[in-house]
Amino acid sequence: MLKRNVSVSTQKQALNALAFLFNQVWKKPLDDLGDFIGSKRPRKLPVVLSRDEVRRVFQHLKGTHHLMTGLLYGGGLRLMECVTLRILDVDFDYNQLLIRNAKGFKDRIVPLPERFKEALIYTHVLNTPGISVRSPADMI
């Protein structure tokens, strides 16, 4: 096993299998493995857009798509967090969003981008029955 190039997960699975075999089946402690070199996960750099690239993306978006993309980018939301966002999760006084049942089923608080605050208010008003107002999100 030491002479083959294997992934980190393959190596860990093999070591856990050996540990189980020694500890649970043979009831003997697993002794020193000697000169053992563990595999390392390769580090990957995240793909990041430049400010100019982000600006150009936003220039091609209008209305709700522009608003949602702004919340995703400016607040660090995941897609389904943005889609399931409710108006009661928006705190306009403190400029923050409450994300419920985020990754790991934990709640978290993220900033509400000031730039999209007014558009979010008007989009909510537009979706309220009986009220008709033109949204600034349509003008973006």
Side-chain angles (χ1 to χ4, degrees):
M1 181 170 81
L2 295 176
K3 295 182 181 184
R4 294 171 48 190
N5 292 327
V6 295
S7 70
V8 176
S9 59
T10 301
Q11 193 175 59
K12 285 183 178 181
Q13 186 174 13
L15 286 173
N16 286 332
L18 284 173
F20 178 81
L21 179 67
F22 273 85
N23 295 333
Q24 302 297 320
V25 177
W26 292 341
K27 306 287 186 203
K28 294 181 181 180
L30 180 61
D31 293 331
D32 186 26
L33 295 176
D35 294 336
F36 180 76
I37 300 171
S39 297
K40 295 180 181 164
R41 291 193 189 270
R43 295 201 56 159
K44 295 181 182 177
L45 292 175
V47 177
V48 180
L49 298 175
S50 69
R51 287 182 181 220
D52 186 55
E53 290 171 326
V54 171
R55 186 179 43 75
R56 285 187 287 170
V57 168
F58 276 101
Q59 286 176 347
H60 292 285
L61 300 172
K62 299 286 180 212
T64 304
H65 293 119
H66 188 269
L67 175 61
M68 289 180 71
T69 305
L71 292 175
L72 291 170
Y73 181 75
L77 277 72
R78 296 176 181 92
L79 180 61
M80 288 310 296
E81 293 172 349
C82 185
V83 170
T84 58
L85 190 66
R86 300 176 299 174
I87 196 65
L88 63 100
D89 297 331
V90 181
D91 187 344
F92 292 106
D93 294 330
Y94 289 103
N95 288 334
Q96 59 189 18
L97 303 169
L98 173 61
I99 308 301
R100 298 177 190 273
N101 295 325
K103 200 171 186 179
F105 300 105
K106 297 177 183 173
D107 294 349
R108 64 187 182 111
I109 295 174
V110 298
L112 170 62
E114 186 68 36
R115 181 175 181 180
F116 298 100
K117 185 176 177 179
E118 187 176 334
L120 190 59
I121 293 170
Y122 281 102
T123 300
H124 169 64
V125 169
L126 283 176
N127 292 325
T128 303
I131 300 176
S132 63
V133 177
R134 185 161 177 186
S135 170
D138 295 330
M139 296 180 242
I140 295 175

